[in-house]
Amino acid sequence: MTDEKPEQAHPVEPTPMPKKPRTPNLALRRLKAGFKPSRGQAIVAVVLALVACTAVVQVRVNRADDGYQNARREDLIAILDGLGQNTRRLEGEIAELEERKNTLSSSADKAETAKQQAEAQIRALGILAGTLPAHGPGVRITLNDPQSKMTSSNLLDAIEELRDAGAEAIQINGSVRVVASTDFVDDAPGIKIDGQKVTSPYVIEAIGDSHSLAEASNFPGGLVSEVTGPQVGGTADVNEETNVAITALHAQEEHRYARPAPSPSK
């Protein structure tokens, strides 16, 4: 018998170990949770950022102050001179603007004053020329001429007496304005004044010092004496008034010959 070794069997592959189920990593989860800030942590972070910014600004300011503290005397003098020049320049500009403002205000005031004076002069000339109505204290004189004996001379004498007493505006019968160029013409029964006929009773209204005008009318030998005398045989009633309204206007006519004289300065 021969010794025969038994044929070796192929080795059997090892059976793999079963995989263990993966367990969650608690440490990683805690780390992630730590990086997720809460609302309170966010507020704290913002406050810390503001504090840090404030500290940086303060440090810069301190460094700037340290820069001036460490600057040389000559440098500080130069800086002060520069500031002084800027201050003087700004003060000069302010003074110039103030002067310009005052000049403009003065010019405006002068223009307004001149305008007011011109308007006042126009009103005064308008009243004198009879082209503007007027009102003020004065007298109202009513003359009755029942026998139609009054003439244009009697009425003109009455107007002249009132003018001498300071009458500034006069009208007759509420329809005729008496001015420097007014003319009186006999036209019985009645009188024509600037071409307009008026009849008795003649109502003369005049603006001025009421007492002076009344005294001038009642003066012996004056208007009242003339109308109530035997020559006319009429009546006269003189009343002082606190407000007389002159509404009649004089129609100005263009001058045919007279022209304004040149100014002496020209």
Side-chain angles (χ1 to χ4, degrees), residues 139-145 150 153-155 157-159 161-162 202 204 211-240:
V139 294
R140 180 176 289 107
I141 303 171
T142 304
L143 305 175
N144 286 289
D145 179 23
M150 280 192 65
S153 297
N154 299 132
L155 203 55
D157 288 342
I159 297 301
E161 289 178 4
L162 291 173
Y202 304 101
I204 304 173
H211 181 69
S212 298
L213 296 177
E215 287 293 320
S217 301
N218 289 310
F219 189 78
L223 171 63
V224 174
S225 299
E226 190 174 355
V227 172
T228 59
Q231 184 178 359
V232 176
T235 61
D237 186 16
V238 180
N239 294 314
E240 298 183 21

Side-chain angles (χ1 to χ4, degrees), residues 38-45:
S38 62
R39 183 177 181 182
Q41 289 173 339
I43 294 174
V44 172

Side-chain angles (χ1 to χ4, degrees), residues 12 43 47 52 56 73 76 80 82 93 117-118 127 136 151-152 158 162 175 181 191 199 202 228 235 242 244 250:
V12 179
I43 294 174
V47 172
V56 170
R73 180 180 179 183
L76 292 176
L80 289 176
E93 291 179 359
Q117 291 177 350
I127 293 174
T151 65
S152 59
L162 291 173
S175 60
S181 61
I191 300 170
T199 58
Y202 304 101
T228 59
T235 61
T242 57
V244 176
H250 174 70

Side-chain angles (χ1 to χ4, degrees), residues 18 33 47 65 70 77 84 109 116 129 146-147 152 156 158 180 224 240 255:
V47 172
D65 293 339
N70 297 329
I77 292 175
D109 293 340
Q116 292 176 358
Q147 301 179 40
S152 59
L156 181 58
V224 174
E240 298 183 21
H255 297 288

